[in-house]
Amino acid sequence: GAVVSQHPSWVICKSGTSVKIECRSLDFQATTMFWYRQFPKQSLMLMATSNEGSKATYEQGVEKDKFLINHASLTLSTLTVTSAHPEDSSFYICSAGSPNTDTQYFGPGTRLTVL
Amino acid sequence: TQLLEQSPQFLSIQEGENLTVYCNSSSVFSSLQWYRQEPGEGPVLLVTVVTGGEVKKLKRLTFQFGDARKDSSLHITAAQPGDTGLYLCAGEETSGSRLTFGEGTQLTVNP
């Protein structure tokens, strides 16, 4: 099946710094990628939809200036958490849509801890 | 925004027991997917149901899509400790569009 990778798998940073998370589709091209956030014991919450070559579409309540999304190629989308604060600590998961199967394939997630 | 209500949220059972997880909505979905997620990992797709009334089986797991495509259920027969995990249902409004996730069911199967 299709493989989606995320890097890093975990990151610890100081409050006020910025962190970039990469999401790659390894064996297919994804025109659309999705970014989710998951807090402990909770479900996935969609943050934004990333479309290659255009601006991302953010869900209500998600600050676009804080969570910068770039989808520069058909295999890579990045999420940058700017000026991170402890409340941004969470599990960030991306998924990539396969145009051939209309199926979303999920990455393994990135654990962000902001001190 | 379409909402999916999943129940129960927590379930702790003994090995060998049967269980059913429900996923309900007032909205119609073009497809509904079930995922299983383990701690620190991304969700893994178990099945996609598309047709109203559809039933799919995956070993001891049976998935059903409601006739009206508004609800779904996951039934596990003779649960094993290895079935422990977070089970998530997710509905797709139209093919290839965003997924709406249910709240999840944390299943613990005790040996």
Side-chain angles (χ1 to χ4, degrees), chain A residues 21-23 34-36 46-48 69 77-79 93-94:
Chain A
I21 302 171
E22 293 184 349
C23 177
F34 302 88
W35 286 96
Y36 297 84
L46 180 65
M47 300 175 65
I69 291 174
S77 176
T78 60
L79 167 68
I93 306 173
C94 73

Side-chain angles (χ1 to χ4, degrees), chain B residues 72-83:
Chain B
S72 181
S73 64
L74 157 61
H75 182 80
I76 301 179
T77 304
Q80 308 281 322
D83 295 327

Side-chain angles (χ1 to χ4, degrees), chain B:
Chain B
T1 302
Q2 296 179 303
L3 297 175
L4 272 171
E5 295 182 352
Q6 196 171 334
S7 63
Q9 290 191 28
F10 298 96
L11 190 57
S12 181
I13 61 172
Q14 293 300 122
E15 181 176 2
E17 293 183 6
N18 302 330
L19 67 115
T20 302
V21 178
Y22 299 93
C23 189
N24 297 294
S25 175
S26 59
S27 303
V28 176
F29 291 98
S30 66
S31 70
L32 196 137
Q33 299 167 13
W34 285 93
Y35 294 84
R36 178 166 168 265
Q37 184 182 25
E38 300 208 33
E41 299 181 11
V44 175
L45 179 65
L46 295 174
V47 78
T48 300
V49 285
V50 178
T51 306
E54 182 177 7
V55 176
K56 282 191 174 180
K57 291 192 175 184
L58 186 65
K59 296 184 179 179
R60 292 178 292 100
L61 279 60
T62 302
F63 305 85
Q64 185 165 6
F65 202 12
D67 291 340
R69 291 187 291 138
K70 294 181 179 181
D71 55 87
S72 181
S73 64
L74 157 61
H75 182 80
I76 301 179
T77 304
Q80 308 281 322
D83 295 327
T84 294
L86 179 66
Y87 289 82
L88 297 158
C89 65
E92 194 171 39
E93 299 171 20
T94 58
S95 181
S97 71
R98 51 180 286 181
L99 289 174
T100 298
F101 277 85
E103 301 101 324
T105 296
Q106 182 61 55
L107 171 66
T108 302
V109 182
N110 302 300

Side-chain angles (χ1 to χ4, degrees), chain A:
Chain A
V3 178
V4 175
S5 70
Q6 280 185 241
H7 178 80
S9 56
W10 59 271
V11 56
I12 301 173
C13 69
K14 293 182 178 181
S15 185
T17 61
S18 295
V19 174
K20 180 184 286 188
I21 302 171
E22 293 184 349
C23 177
R24 293 182 185 272
S25 56
L26 298 185
D27 51 1
F28 66 100
Q29 294 183 331
T31 54
T32 304
M33 289 184 174
F34 302 88
W35 286 96
Y36 297 84
R37 180 168 52 184
Q38 184 178 32
F39 292 107
K41 307 294 185 184
Q42 294 186 23
S43 186
L44 280 70
M45 295 297 295
L46 180 65
M47 300 175 65
T49 301
S50 169
N51 296 298
E52 187 267 338
S54 64
K55 291 183 179 180
T57 302
Y58 290 82
E59 294 299 302
Q60 189 173 4
V62 178
E63 300 176 55
K64 62 180 181 180
D65 293 331
K66 180 171 181 62
F67 298 98
L68 301 179
I69 291 174
N70 184 277
H71 194 157
S73 76
L74 289 172
T75 59
L76 173 65
S77 176
T78 60
L79 167 68
T80 301
V81 183
T82 63
S83 187
H85 291 283
E87 56 265 32
D88 298 323
S89 297
S90 187
F91 195 49
Y92 291 86
I93 306 173
C94 73
S95 70
S98 170
N100 295 327
T101 64
D102 284 337
T103 298
Q104 285 190 35
Y105 297 94
F106 285 83
T110 296
R111 171 72 59 192
L112 170 63
T113 302
V114 184
L115 302 177

